[in-house]
Amino acid sequence: MKDQAEKLRSMVNNKKDNSRSSKFRVITVSSGKGGVGKTNLVVNLAISFQKRGLRVAILDADFGMANVDILLGVKANYSIYDLLFDDKTIEDIEVDTPYGIKLFAGGRGFKEFDEIDDEKRNKLLGEFSKVSDIDILIIDTGAGISPNVIRFIEYADEVIIVTNEEPTALTDAYSLIKVINKNNIDKNLDIVINMASNLVNAMRTFTTLKNISKKFLNIDINFLGYLIKDNKVRNSVIKQKPFIELYPNSEIALCIQKISNSIIGNTEKVSNNSITGFFNNLFKAIRR
Ligand SMILES: Nc1ncnc2c1ncn2[C@@H]1O[C@H](COP(=O)(O)OP(=O)(O)O)[C@@H](O)[C@H]1O
Ligand SMILES: [Mg+2]
């Protein structure tokens, strides 16, 4: 007999026959240290994908300190928290943004995702099975090394780790890579160096991280791109409008375009065939 998750999976697969893309892709963006620019990267990258005609959603999984809604200048009345612990549906919590991307807000004051029971897990799966019109789900995780972050990394098609050149950020990025390795997660790890003065300095920072990861963990990491340090980011945060919209021709917008190009050019990494499939895998992992 089919279990509920399987039924949901086939439901979603059937629905997807009518959709424009048969592949659904999950990109998890993480960092060791907080404040390195994850959320700004997520938001601007999401908009750059949308401008290419892709259907994009952001899941704000920085539970407890979720703030994607603030950067997008939208009001999320409800969050995943309300879906799980109150009687809200996916339609209630889905937020449309002025940029054509969807947001599933994380909610502030959230407890650990791991604590949810079978009933809640099925509810989340059931609710997400209604969302089949997405090509890319970008997940903004919290900083650091929690079981949630590791699972979101494990079941992503693409993992982006953001750091800057500060030794503290680099050390924390290395710690995250170490934990990923310890959990036997064999993923391509794509690094974005934020707040760099230029490409040469970004490459220097990346090479430092690459060398220690190779030497101590025997892991090869990839350089995905860099963002320059620019006050436009701060201005855009204050204006609550993503910098790629406020300053579309700026150097930092170009940096986002380049990262977006590299990701889109890389289609072989897709393994999640539906949004429900992704959440299913995630919860199986959490329960083991
Ligand atoms: N490329 C950049 N240039 C200048 N300041 C930046 C840049 N990226 C981020 N910042 C600053 O760092 C702050 C934290 O960024 P944020 O994306 O919220 O980080 P995280 O999500 O990793 O905590 C921003 O509000 C902004 O002021
Ligand atoms: Mg953030």
PDB file of all heavy atoms in Angstrom, residues 67-104:
ATOM      1  N   ASN A  67      14.623  37.092   8.467  1.00  0.00           N
ATOM      2  CA  ASN A  67      14.521  38.508   8.083  1.00  0.00           C
ATOM      3  C   ASN A  67      14.469  38.750   6.581  1.00  0.00           C
ATOM      4  O   ASN A  67      14.626  39.876   6.130  1.00  0.00           O
ATOM      5  CB  ASN A  67      15.658  39.318   8.726  1.00  0.00           C
ATOM      6  CG  ASN A  67      17.032  38.807   8.331  1.00  0.00           C
ATOM      7  OD1 ASN A  67      17.154  37.962   7.454  1.00  0.00           O
ATOM      8  ND2 ASN A  67      18.067  39.314   8.977  1.00  0.00           N
ATOM      9  N   VAL A  68      14.220  37.706   5.796  1.00  0.00           N
ATOM     10  CA  VAL A  68      14.106  37.894   4.346  1.00  0.00           C
ATOM     11  C   VAL A  68      12.952  38.860   4.042  1.00  0.00           C
ATOM     12  O   VAL A  68      13.056  39.708   3.151  1.00  0.00           O
ATOM     13  CB  VAL A  68      13.897  36.548   3.611  1.00  0.00           C
ATOM     14  CG1 VAL A  68      13.719  36.777   2.116  1.00  0.00           C
ATOM     15  CG2 VAL A  68      15.064  35.601   3.850  1.00  0.00           C
ATOM     16  N   ASP A  69      11.868  38.735   4.798  1.00  0.00           N
ATOM     17  CA  ASP A  69      10.708  39.625   4.596  1.00  0.00           C
ATOM     18  C   ASP A  69      11.107  41.091   4.730  1.00  0.00           C
ATOM     19  O   ASP A  69      10.667  41.949   3.978  1.00  0.00           O
ATOM     20  CB  ASP A  69       9.562  39.267   5.565  1.00  0.00           C
ATOM     21  CG  ASP A  69      10.002  39.204   7.033  1.00  0.00           C
ATOM     22  OD1 ASP A  69      11.202  39.007   7.283  1.00  0.00           O
ATOM     23  OD2 ASP A  69       9.148  39.373   7.922  1.00  0.00           O
ATOM     24  N   ILE A  70      11.988  41.359   5.679  1.00  0.00           N
ATOM     25  CA  ILE A  70      12.407  42.749   5.909  1.00  0.00           C
ATOM     26  C   ILE A  70      13.214  43.262   4.719  1.00  0.00           C
ATOM     27  O   ILE A  70      12.986  44.369   4.219  1.00  0.00           O
ATOM     28  CB  ILE A  70      13.230  42.857   7.216  1.00  0.00           C
ATOM     29  CG1 ILE A  70      12.353  42.421   8.403  1.00  0.00           C
ATOM     30  CG2 ILE A  70      13.753  44.281   7.425  1.00  0.00           C
ATOM     31  CD1 ILE A  70      13.098  42.280   9.709  1.00  0.00           C
ATOM     32  N   LEU A  71      14.149  42.428   4.216  1.00  0.00           N
ATOM     33  CA  LEU A  71      14.971  42.863   3.076  1.00  0.00           C
ATOM     34  C   LEU A  71      14.126  43.061   1.825  1.00  0.00           C
ATOM     35  O   LEU A  71      14.452  43.873   0.961  1.00  0.00           O
ATOM     36  CB  LEU A  71      16.081  41.851   2.783  1.00  0.00           C
ATOM     37  CG  LEU A  71      17.255  41.802   3.752  1.00  0.00           C
ATOM     38  CD1 LEU A  71      18.444  41.092   3.121  1.00  0.00           C
ATOM     39  CD2 LEU A  71      17.684  43.191   4.185  1.00  0.00           C
ATOM     40  N   LEU A  72      13.044  42.290   1.702  1.00  0.00           N
ATOM     41  CA  LEU A  72      12.185  42.415   0.521  1.00  0.00           C
ATOM     42  C   LEU A  72      11.117  43.487   0.702  1.00  0.00           C
ATOM     43  O   LEU A  72      10.348  43.765  -0.221  1.00  0.00           O
ATOM     44  CB  LEU A  72      11.514  41.068   0.213  1.00  0.00           C
ATOM     45  CG  LEU A  72      12.415  39.990  -0.388  1.00  0.00           C
ATOM     46  CD1 LEU A  72      11.711  38.645  -0.376  1.00  0.00           C
ATOM     47  CD2 LEU A  72      12.839  40.353  -1.803  1.00  0.00           C
ATOM     48  N   GLY A  73      11.069  44.048   1.902  1.00  0.00           N
ATOM     49  CA  GLY A  73      10.080  45.098   2.164  1.00  0.00           C
ATOM     50  C   GLY A  73       8.653  44.585   2.127  1.00  0.00           C
ATOM     51  O   GLY A  73       7.744  45.299   1.721  1.00  0.00           O
ATOM     52  N   VAL A  74       8.466  43.327   2.517  1.00  0.00           N
ATOM     53  CA  VAL A  74       7.099  42.784   2.546  1.00  0.00           C
ATOM     54  C   VAL A  74       6.729  42.403   3.976  1.00  0.00           C
ATOM     55  O   VAL A  74       7.603  42.223   4.828  1.00  0.00           O
ATOM     56  CB  VAL A  74       6.926  41.542   1.625  1.00  0.00           C
ATOM     57  CG1 VAL A  74       7.107  41.916   0.181  1.00  0.00           C
ATOM     58  CG2 VAL A  74       7.869  40.408   2.031  1.00  0.00           C
ATOM     59  N   LYS A  75       5.436  42.275   4.177  1.00  0.00           N
ATOM     60  CA  LYS A  75       4.984  41.904   5.511  1.00  0.00           C
ATOM     61  C   LYS A  75       4.510  40.458   5.456  1.00  0.00           C
ATOM     62  O   LYS A  75       3.607  40.123   4.687  1.00  0.00           O
ATOM     63  CB  LYS A  75       3.830  42.833   5.915  1.00  0.00           C
ATOM     64  CG  LYS A  75       3.446  42.705   7.364  1.00  0.00           C
ATOM     65  CD  LYS A  75       2.518  43.848   7.758  1.00  0.00           C
ATOM     66  CE  LYS A  75       2.027  43.828   9.177  1.00  0.00           C
ATOM     67  NZ  LYS A  75       1.853  42.597   9.866  1.00  0.00           N
ATOM     68  N   ALA A  76       5.151  39.628   6.233  1.00  0.00           N
ATOM     69  CA  ALA A  76       4.703  38.235   6.313  1.00  0.00           C
ATOM     70  C   ALA A  76       3.864  38.107   7.581  1.00  0.00           C
ATOM     71  O   ALA A  76       4.393  38.187   8.687  1.00  0.00           O
ATOM     72  CB  ALA A  76       5.914  37.306   6.363  1.00  0.00           C
ATOM     73  N   ASN A  77       2.577  37.963   7.391  1.00  0.00           N
ATOM     74  CA  ASN A  77       1.709  37.857   8.568  1.00  0.00           C
ATOM     75  C   ASN A  77       1.908  36.531   9.283  1.00  0.00           C
ATOM     76  O   ASN A  77       1.771  36.432  10.491  1.00  0.00           O
ATOM     77  CB  ASN A  77       0.242  37.995   8.157  1.00  0.00           C
ATOM     78  CG  ASN A  77      -0.059  39.404   7.690  1.00  0.00           C
ATOM     79  OD1 ASN A  77       0.462  40.368   8.254  1.00  0.00           O
ATOM     80  ND2 ASN A  77      -0.857  39.527   6.637  1.00  0.00           N
ATOM     81  N   TYR A  78       2.194  35.496   8.476  1.00  0.00           N
ATOM     82  CA  TYR A  78       2.370  34.164   9.055  1.00  0.00           C
ATOM     83  C   TYR A  78       3.648  33.547   8.521  1.00  0.00           C
ATOM     84  O   TYR A  78       4.197  33.978   7.528  1.00  0.00           O
ATOM     85  CB  TYR A  78       1.178  33.281   8.689  1.00  0.00           C
ATOM     86  CG  TYR A  78      -0.138  33.852   9.121  1.00  0.00           C
ATOM     87  CD1 TYR A  78      -1.046  34.321   8.171  1.00  0.00           C
ATOM     88  CD2 TYR A  78      -0.461  33.943  10.473  1.00  0.00           C
ATOM     89  CE1 TYR A  78      -2.258  34.863   8.563  1.00  0.00           C
ATOM     90  CE2 TYR A  78      -1.673  34.487  10.870  1.00  0.00           C
ATOM     91  CZ  TYR A  78      -2.563  34.943   9.917  1.00  0.00           C
ATOM     92  OH  TYR A  78      -3.742  35.481  10.305  1.00  0.00           O
ATOM     93  N   SER A  79       4.073  32.484   9.200  1.00  0.00           N
ATOM     94  CA  SER A  79       5.319  31.834   8.794  1.00  0.00           C
ATOM     95  C   SER A  79       5.149  30.319   8.868  1.00  0.00           C
ATOM     96  O   SER A  79       4.088  29.817   9.235  1.00  0.00           O
ATOM     97  CB  SER A  79       6.437  32.272   9.727  1.00  0.00           C
ATOM     98  OG  SER A  79       6.195  31.721  11.012  1.00  0.00           O
ATOM     99  N   ILE A  80       6.223  29.606   8.542  1.00  0.00           N
ATOM    100  CA  ILE A  80       6.227  28.141   8.657  1.00  0.00           C
ATOM    101  C   ILE A  80       5.822  27.746  10.087  1.00  0.00           C
ATOM    102  O   ILE A  80       5.175  26.724  10.292  1.00  0.00           O
ATOM    103  CB  ILE A  80       7.664  27.605   8.371  1.00  0.00           C
ATOM    104  CG1 ILE A  80       8.082  27.947   6.948  1.00  0.00           C
ATOM    105  CG2 ILE A  80       7.759  26.111   8.641  1.00  0.00           C
ATOM    106  CD1 ILE A  80       7.662  26.989   5.880  1.00  0.00           C
ATOM    107  N   TYR A  81       6.194  28.563  11.016  1.00  0.00           N
ATOM    108  CA  TYR A  81       5.834  28.299  12.410  1.00  0.00           C
ATOM    109  C   TYR A  81       4.311  28.188  12.558  1.00  0.00           C
ATOM    110  O   TYR A  81       3.805  27.253  13.184  1.00  0.00           O
ATOM    111  CB  TYR A  81       6.370  29.421  13.315  1.00  0.00           C
ATOM    112  CG  TYR A  81       6.085  29.192  14.777  1.00  0.00           C
ATOM    113  CD1 TYR A  81       7.004  28.521  15.574  1.00  0.00           C
ATOM    114  CD2 TYR A  81       4.893  29.619  15.357  1.00  0.00           C
ATOM    115  CE1 TYR A  81       6.743  28.280  16.914  1.00  0.00           C
ATOM    116  CE2 TYR A  81       4.628  29.386  16.697  1.00  0.00           C
ATOM    117  CZ  TYR A  81       5.550  28.719  17.463  1.00  0.00           C
ATOM    118  OH  TYR A  81       5.291  28.472  18.778  1.00  0.00           O
ATOM    119  N   ASP A  82       3.585  29.117  11.938  1.00  0.00           N
ATOM    120  CA  ASP A  82       2.120  29.106  12.047  1.00  0.00           C
ATOM    121  C   ASP A  82       1.513  27.935  11.299  1.00  0.00           C
ATOM    122  O   ASP A  82       0.459  27.425  11.670  1.00  0.00           O
ATOM    123  CB  ASP A  82       1.542  30.420  11.493  1.00  0.00           C
ATOM    124  CG  ASP A  82       2.076  31.616  12.253  1.00  0.00           C
ATOM    125  OD1 ASP A  82       1.761  31.743  13.433  1.00  0.00           O
ATOM    126  OD2 ASP A  82       2.852  32.388  11.669  1.00  0.00           O
ATOM    127  N   LEU A  83       2.223  27.507  10.236  1.00  0.00           N
ATOM    128  CA  LEU A  83       1.742  26.350   9.482  1.00  0.00           C
ATOM    129  C   LEU A  83       1.858  25.090  10.351  1.00  0.00           C
ATOM    130  O   LEU A  83       0.978  24.238  10.363  1.00  0.00           O
ATOM    131  CB  LEU A  83       2.572  26.216   8.202  1.00  0.00           C
ATOM    132  CG  LEU A  83       2.139  25.160   7.184  1.00  0.00           C
ATOM    133  CD1 LEU A  83       2.341  25.674   5.782  1.00  0.00           C
ATOM    134  CD2 LEU A  83       2.937  23.894   7.360  1.00  0.00           C
ATOM    135  N   LEU A  84       2.934  25.006  11.087  1.00  0.00           N
ATOM    136  CA  LEU A  84       3.167  23.804  11.894  1.00  0.00           C
ATOM    137  C   LEU A  84       2.431  23.831  13.227  1.00  0.00           C
ATOM    138  O   LEU A  84       1.894  22.817  13.665  1.00  0.00           O
ATOM    139  CB  LEU A  84       4.671  23.644  12.168  1.00  0.00           C
ATOM    140  CG  LEU A  84       5.534  23.309  10.960  1.00  0.00           C
ATOM    141  CD1 LEU A  84       6.999  23.285  11.360  1.00  0.00           C
ATOM    142  CD2 LEU A  84       5.126  21.972  10.372  1.00  0.00           C
ATOM    143  N   PHE A  85       2.442  24.967  13.859  1.00  0.00           N
ATOM    144  CA  PHE A  85       1.940  25.005  15.232  1.00  0.00           C
ATOM    145  C   PHE A  85       0.582  25.683  15.369  1.00  0.00           C
ATOM    146  O   PHE A  85       0.004  25.713  16.437  1.00  0.00           O
ATOM    147  CB  PHE A  85       2.977  25.667  16.152  1.00  0.00           C
ATOM    148  CG  PHE A  85       4.262  24.885  16.205  1.00  0.00           C
ATOM    149  CD1 PHE A  85       5.349  25.271  15.435  1.00  0.00           C
ATOM    150  CD2 PHE A  85       4.371  23.740  16.981  1.00  0.00           C
ATOM    151  CE1 PHE A  85       6.529  24.536  15.453  1.00  0.00           C
ATOM    152  CE2 PHE A  85       5.546  23.001  17.010  1.00  0.00           C
ATOM    153  CZ  PHE A  85       6.625  23.397  16.242  1.00  0.00           C
ATOM    154  N   ASP A  86       0.116  26.262  14.252  1.00  0.00           N
ATOM    155  CA  ASP A  86      -1.223  26.827  14.248  1.00  0.00           C
ATOM    156  C   ASP A  86      -1.943  26.127  13.094  1.00  0.00           C
ATOM    157  O   ASP A  86      -1.432  25.190  12.526  1.00  0.00           O
ATOM    158  CB  ASP A  86      -1.124  28.356  14.054  1.00  0.00           C
ATOM    159  CG  ASP A  86      -2.335  29.076  14.602  1.00  0.00           C
ATOM    160  OD1 ASP A  86      -3.341  28.391  14.848  1.00  0.00           O
ATOM    161  OD2 ASP A  86      -2.276  30.306  14.756  1.00  0.00           O
ATOM    162  N   ASP A  87      -3.088  26.608  12.691  1.00  0.00           N
ATOM    163  CA  ASP A  87      -3.789  25.865  11.627  1.00  0.00           C
ATOM    164  C   ASP A  87      -3.683  26.548  10.269  1.00  0.00           C
ATOM    165  O   ASP A  87      -4.567  26.438   9.441  1.00  0.00           O
ATOM    166  CB  ASP A  87      -5.250  25.643  12.030  1.00  0.00           C
ATOM    167  CG  ASP A  87      -5.930  26.978  12.314  1.00  0.00           C
ATOM    168  OD1 ASP A  87      -5.219  28.008  12.244  1.00  0.00           O
ATOM    169  OD2 ASP A  87      -7.135  26.991  12.586  1.00  0.00           O
ATOM    170  N   LYS A  88      -2.557  27.212  10.029  1.00  0.00           N
ATOM    171  CA  LYS A  88      -2.409  27.919   8.761  1.00  0.00           C
ATOM    172  C   LYS A  88      -2.026  26.960   7.633  1.00  0.00           C
ATOM    173  O   LYS A  88      -1.372  25.947   7.858  1.00  0.00           O
ATOM    174  CB  LYS A  88      -1.336  29.008   8.874  1.00  0.00           C
ATOM    175  CG  LYS A  88      -1.666  30.085   9.887  1.00  0.00           C
ATOM    176  CD  LYS A  88      -2.929  30.844   9.537  1.00  0.00           C
ATOM    177  CE  LYS A  88      -3.326  31.800  10.622  1.00  0.00           C
ATOM    178  NZ  LYS A  88      -4.744  31.723  10.973  1.00  0.00           N
ATOM    179  N   THR A  89      -2.424  27.342   6.413  1.00  0.00           N
ATOM    180  CA  THR A  89      -2.087  26.527   5.238  1.00  0.00           C
ATOM    181  C   THR A  89      -0.950  27.208   4.471  1.00  0.00           C
ATOM    182  O   THR A  89      -0.587  28.349   4.772  1.00  0.00           O
ATOM    183  CB  THR A  89      -3.300  26.420   4.285  1.00  0.00           C
ATOM    184  OG1 THR A  89      -3.589  27.745   3.818  1.00  0.00           O
ATOM    185  CG2 THR A  89      -4.506  25.837   5.000  1.00  0.00           C
ATOM    186  N   ILE A  90      -0.466  26.516   3.451  1.00  0.00           N
ATOM    187  CA  ILE A  90       0.622  27.082   2.649  1.00  0.00           C
ATOM    188  C   ILE A  90       0.164  28.381   1.963  1.00  0.00           C
ATOM    189  O   ILE A  90       0.943  29.325   1.831  1.00  0.00           O
ATOM    190  CB  ILE A  90       1.149  26.043   1.619  1.00  0.00           C
ATOM    191  CG1 ILE A  90       2.534  26.431   1.101  1.00  0.00           C
ATOM    192  CG2 ILE A  90       0.216  25.819   0.456  1.00  0.00           C
ATOM    193  CD1 ILE A  90       3.661  25.930   1.915  1.00  0.00           C
ATOM    194  N   GLU A  91      -1.101  28.420   1.575  1.00  0.00           N
ATOM    195  CA  GLU A  91      -1.622  29.643   0.933  1.00  0.00           C
ATOM    196  C   GLU A  91      -1.596  30.816   1.920  1.00  0.00           C
ATOM    197  O   GLU A  91      -1.352  31.950   1.533  1.00  0.00           O
ATOM    198  CB  GLU A  91      -3.065  29.454   0.436  1.00  0.00           C
ATOM    199  CG  GLU A  91      -3.215  28.516  -0.750  1.00  0.00           C
ATOM    200  CD  GLU A  91      -3.381  27.055  -0.342  1.00  0.00           C
ATOM    201  OE1 GLU A  91      -3.365  26.759   0.882  1.00  0.00           O
ATOM    202  OE2 GLU A  91      -3.514  26.213  -1.241  1.00  0.00           O
ATOM    203  N   ASP A  92      -1.854  30.504   3.187  1.00  0.00           N
ATOM    204  CA  ASP A  92      -1.845  31.570   4.200  1.00  0.00           C
ATOM    205  C   ASP A  92      -0.447  32.143   4.398  1.00  0.00           C
ATOM    206  O   ASP A  92      -0.283  33.335   4.661  1.00  0.00           O
ATOM    207  CB  ASP A  92      -2.308  31.031   5.571  1.00  0.00           C
ATOM    208  CG  ASP A  92      -3.755  30.599   5.561  1.00  0.00           C
ATOM    209  OD1 ASP A  92      -4.519  31.205   4.813  1.00  0.00           O
ATOM    210  OD2 ASP A  92      -4.101  29.658   6.311  1.00  0.00           O
ATOM    211  N   ILE A  93       0.551  31.254   4.307  1.00  0.00           N
ATOM    212  CA  ILE A  93       1.889  31.745   4.674  1.00  0.00           C
ATOM    213  C   ILE A  93       2.700  32.227   3.471  1.00  0.00           C
ATOM    214  O   ILE A  93       3.693  32.911   3.628  1.00  0.00           O
ATOM    215  CB  ILE A  93       2.694  30.696   5.483  1.00  0.00           C
ATOM    216  CG1 ILE A  93       3.121  29.518   4.622  1.00  0.00           C
ATOM    217  CG2 ILE A  93       1.935  30.234   6.712  1.00  0.00           C
ATOM    218  CD1 ILE A  93       4.309  28.806   5.203  1.00  0.00           C
ATOM    219  N   GLU A  94       2.260  31.826   2.260  1.00  0.00           N
ATOM    220  CA  GLU A  94       2.999  32.244   1.058  1.00  0.00           C
ATOM    221  C   GLU A  94       2.850  33.750   0.849  1.00  0.00           C
ATOM    222  O   GLU A  94       1.745  34.268   0.847  1.00  0.00           O
ATOM    223  CB  GLU A  94       2.416  31.472  -0.129  1.00  0.00           C
ATOM    224  CG  GLU A  94       3.059  31.793  -1.433  1.00  0.00           C
ATOM    225  CD  GLU A  94       2.391  31.006  -2.565  1.00  0.00           C
ATOM    226  OE1 GLU A  94       2.300  29.772  -2.475  1.00  0.00           O
ATOM    227  OE2 GLU A  94       1.957  31.659  -3.522  1.00  0.00           O
ATOM    228  N   VAL A  95       3.972  34.423   0.693  1.00  0.00           N
ATOM    229  CA  VAL A  95       3.934  35.879   0.507  1.00  0.00           C
ATOM    230  C   VAL A  95       4.389  36.203  -0.913  1.00  0.00           C
ATOM    231  O   VAL A  95       5.463  35.778  -1.339  1.00  0.00           O
ATOM    232  CB  VAL A  95       4.890  36.581   1.508  1.00  0.00           C
ATOM    233  CG1 VAL A  95       4.831  38.103   1.333  1.00  0.00           C
ATOM    234  CG2 VAL A  95       4.561  36.187   2.938  1.00  0.00           C
ATOM    235  N   ASP A  96       3.565  36.934  -1.654  1.00  0.00           N
ATOM    236  CA  ASP A  96       3.997  37.419  -2.963  1.00  0.00           C
ATOM    237  C   ASP A  96       4.795  38.691  -2.747  1.00  0.00           C
ATOM    238  O   ASP A  96       4.487  39.482  -1.862  1.00  0.00           O
ATOM    239  CB  ASP A  96       2.786  37.714  -3.860  1.00  0.00           C
ATOM    240  CG  ASP A  96       2.159  36.422  -4.362  1.00  0.00           C
ATOM    241  OD1 ASP A  96       2.924  35.498  -4.684  1.00  0.00           O
ATOM    242  OD2 ASP A  96       0.916  36.339  -4.392  1.00  0.00           O
ATOM    243  N   THR A  97       5.818  38.858  -3.535  1.00  0.00           N
ATOM    244  CA  THR A  97       6.666  40.045  -3.373  1.00  0.00           C
ATOM    245  C   THR A  97       6.559  40.908  -4.632  1.00  0.00           C
ATOM    246  O   THR A  97       6.126  40.406  -5.673  1.00  0.00           O
ATOM    247  CB  THR A  97       8.139  39.642  -3.165  1.00  0.00           C
ATOM    248  OG1 THR A  97       8.642  39.129  -4.415  1.00  0.00           O
ATOM    249  CG2 THR A  97       8.284  38.576  -2.084  1.00  0.00           C
ATOM    250  N   PRO A  98       6.973  42.164  -4.554  1.00  0.00           N
ATOM    251  CA  PRO A  98       6.892  43.022  -5.755  1.00  0.00           C
ATOM    252  C   PRO A  98       7.837  42.557  -6.859  1.00  0.00           C
ATOM    253  O   PRO A  98       7.821  43.112  -7.953  1.00  0.00           O
ATOM    254  CB  PRO A  98       7.334  44.398  -5.240  1.00  0.00           C
ATOM    255  CG  PRO A  98       7.300  44.330  -3.759  1.00  0.00           C
ATOM    256  CD  PRO A  98       7.449  42.901  -3.379  1.00  0.00           C
ATOM    257  N   TYR A  99       8.678  41.568  -6.588  1.00  0.00           N
ATOM    258  CA  TYR A  99       9.713  41.166  -7.552  1.00  0.00           C
ATOM    259  C   TYR A  99       9.373  39.857  -8.265  1.00  0.00           C
ATOM    260  O   TYR A  99      10.217  39.267  -8.923  1.00  0.00           O
ATOM    261  CB  TYR A  99      11.068  41.071  -6.847  1.00  0.00           C
ATOM    262  CG  TYR A  99      11.303  42.291  -5.993  1.00  0.00           C
ATOM    263  CD1 TYR A  99      11.181  42.222  -4.603  1.00  0.00           C
ATOM    264  CD2 TYR A  99      11.553  43.520  -6.589  1.00  0.00           C
ATOM    265  CE1 TYR A  99      11.331  43.360  -3.829  1.00  0.00           C
ATOM    266  CE2 TYR A  99      11.697  44.665  -5.819  1.00  0.00           C
ATOM    267  CZ  TYR A  99      11.585  44.577  -4.450  1.00  0.00           C
ATOM    268  OH  TYR A  99      11.714  45.704  -3.694  1.00  0.00           O
ATOM    269  N   GLY A 100       8.149  39.378  -8.076  1.00  0.00           N
ATOM    270  CA  GLY A 100       7.725  38.157  -8.771  1.00  0.00           C
ATOM    271  C   GLY A 100       8.240  36.878  -8.139  1.00  0.00           C
ATOM    272  O   GLY A 100       8.070  35.797  -8.687  1.00  0.00           O
ATOM    273  N   ILE A 101       8.900  37.000  -6.999  1.00  0.00           N
ATOM    274  CA  ILE A 101       9.341  35.779  -6.304  1.00  0.00           C
ATOM    275  C   ILE A 101       8.442  35.561  -5.090  1.00  0.00           C
ATOM    276  O   ILE A 101       7.848  36.496  -4.572  1.00  0.00           O
ATOM    277  CB  ILE A 101      10.827  35.866  -5.874  1.00  0.00           C
ATOM    278  CG1 ILE A 101      11.075  37.100  -4.997  1.00  0.00           C
ATOM    279  CG2 ILE A 101      11.742  35.898  -7.074  1.00  0.00           C
ATOM    280  CD1 ILE A 101      12.485  37.188  -4.467  1.00  0.00           C
ATOM    281  N   LYS A 102       8.363  34.293  -4.686  1.00  0.00           N
ATOM    282  CA  LYS A 102       7.542  33.972  -3.523  1.00  0.00           C
ATOM    283  C   LYS A 102       8.411  33.833  -2.295  1.00  0.00           C
ATOM    284  O   LYS A 102       9.576  33.457  -2.391  1.00  0.00           O
ATOM    285  CB  LYS A 102       6.844  32.627  -3.748  1.00  0.00           C
ATOM    286  CG  LYS A 102       5.718  32.702  -4.709  1.00  0.00           C
ATOM    287  CD  LYS A 102       5.087  31.345  -4.881  1.00  0.00           C
ATOM    288  CE  LYS A 102       4.037  31.465  -5.969  1.00  0.00           C
ATOM    289  NZ  LYS A 102       3.465  30.226  -6.358  1.00  0.00           N
ATOM    290  N   LEU A 103       7.795  34.082  -1.161  1.00  0.00           N
ATOM    291  CA  LEU A 103       8.533  33.911   0.091  1.00  0.00           C
ATOM    292  C   LEU A 103       7.732  33.036   1.043  1.00  0.00           C
ATOM    293  O   LEU A 103       6.534  33.238   1.228  1.00  0.00           O
ATOM    294  CB  LEU A 103       8.791  35.285   0.735  1.00  0.00           C
ATOM    295  CG  LEU A 103       9.300  35.258   2.176  1.00  0.00           C
ATOM    296  CD1 LEU A 103      10.691  34.616   2.270  1.00  0.00           C
ATOM    297  CD2 LEU A 103       9.345  36.667   2.767  1.00  0.00           C
ATOM    298  N   PHE A 104       8.422  32.059   1.611  1.00  0.00           N
ATOM    299  CA  PHE A 104       7.884  31.325   2.748  1.00  0.00           C
ATOM    300  C   PHE A 104       8.687  31.785   3.951  1.00  0.00           C
ATOM    301  O   PHE A 104       9.868  31.433   4.089  1.00  0.00           O
ATOM    302  CB  PHE A 104       8.004  29.810   2.538  1.00  0.00           C
ATOM    303  CG  PHE A 104       7.274  29.338   1.313  1.00  0.00           C
ATOM    304  CD1 PHE A 104       7.964  28.994   0.167  1.00  0.00           C
ATOM    305  CD2 PHE A 104       5.895  29.285   1.300  1.00  0.00           C
ATOM    306  CE1 PHE A 104       7.294  28.587  -0.976  1.00  0.00           C
ATOM    307  CE2 PHE A 104       5.213  28.876   0.162  1.00  0.00           C
ATOM    308  CZ  PHE A 104       5.909  28.530  -0.980  1.00  0.00           C
TER     309      PHE A 104
END
